[in-house]
C-alpha cells in the first residue's frame, strides 16, 4: 500500500514556474514507476509525465507532447518524493494535478496506475 500526498500548487501568471512535490509513504518508493496527471476544468484526466522505478534506470522519463521542453519530472528516492518542475506555464496548463504510482512499467495510461494522491490545484492566469 502506498499513500501519496501532493503539494506545491497555486496561482501563477503565464510564463511563470511552479514545482509540485509528491511524497509517498512506505519503504518501497524506489520500486514504483511514478507519474503525474492533470485534469483541466470540464475535461478528462490526462497524462503529463512519468519516471521509471529504480530497478529500471531510475532516470528514464516520458512526457506528453504538450509539456515536453517545459516540464521536468524527477525523483529523490531518499526522500520518497517525486517532483514536477513546471516552467513557461500557460493558461491551458490550469488543472488539478495528481501524482500516481504503479509497478507495471513506464506507461501513460491512467488505468495502469494503482495509487493516486488527492490532487493539487494549479491555476495559470493570462
Amino acid at each position: 500500500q502506498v499513500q501519496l500526498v501532493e503539494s506545491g500548487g497555486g496561482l501563477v501568471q503565464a510564463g511563470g514556474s511552479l514545482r509540485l512535490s509528491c511524497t509517498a509513504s512506505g519503504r518501497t518508493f524506489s520500486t514504483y514507476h511514478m507519474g503525474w496527471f492533470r485534469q483541466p476544468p470540464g475535461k478528462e484526466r490526462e497524462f503529463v509525465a512519468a519516471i521509471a522505478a529504480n530497478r529500471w534506470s531510475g532516470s528514464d522519463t516520458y512526457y506528453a507532447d504538450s509539456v515536453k521542453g517545459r516540464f521536468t519530472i524527477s525523483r529523490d528516492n531518499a526522500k520518497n518524493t517525486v517532483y514536477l518542475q513546471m516552467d513557461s506555464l500557460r493558461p491551458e496548463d490550469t488543472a488539478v494535478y495528481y501524482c500516481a504510482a504503479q509497478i507495471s512499467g513506464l506507461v501513460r495510461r491512467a488505468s495502469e496506475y494503482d495509487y493516486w494522491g488527492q490532487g493539487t490545484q494549479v491555476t495559470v492566469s493570462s
Side-chain angles (χ1 to χ4, degrees), residues 11-115:
L11 174 64
V12 63
Q13 289 188 333
S17 298
L18 280 175
R19 188 176 80 156
L20 305 184
S21 300
C22 172
T23 301
S25 64
R27 300 182 180 180
T28 58
F29 174 76
S30 64
T31 66
Y32 286 88
H33 304 285
M34 300 298 297
W36 284 97
F37 291 77
R38 67 186 182 186
Q39 188 163 13
K43 297 184 179 180
E44 294 185 351
R45 193 170 300 189
E46 62 186 28
F47 171 77
V48 175
I51 188 165
N54 215 44
R55 67 182 186 279
W56 286 28
S57 72
S59 60
D60 282 353
T61 56
Y62 183 25
Y63 295 94
D65 288 344
S66 59
V67 306
K68 201 171 296 182
R70 300 188 298 122
F71 291 10
T72 304
I73 188 171
S74 61
R75 67 190 299 160
D76 185 338
N77 291 325
K79 295 183 178 180
N80 278 15
T81 300
V82 61
Y83 303 99
L84 186 68
Q85 177 66 42
M86 306 186 295
D87 298 319
S88 302
L89 282 161
R90 305 167 180 168
E92 54 264 39
D93 295 318
T94 295
V96 178
Y97 283 72
Y98 300 88
C99 71
Q102 47 85 13
I103 60 173
S104 299
L106 201 59
V107 297
R108 62 185 296 153
R109 293 185 299 277
S111 59
E112 296 282 349
Y113 286 79
D114 300 310
Y115 304 102

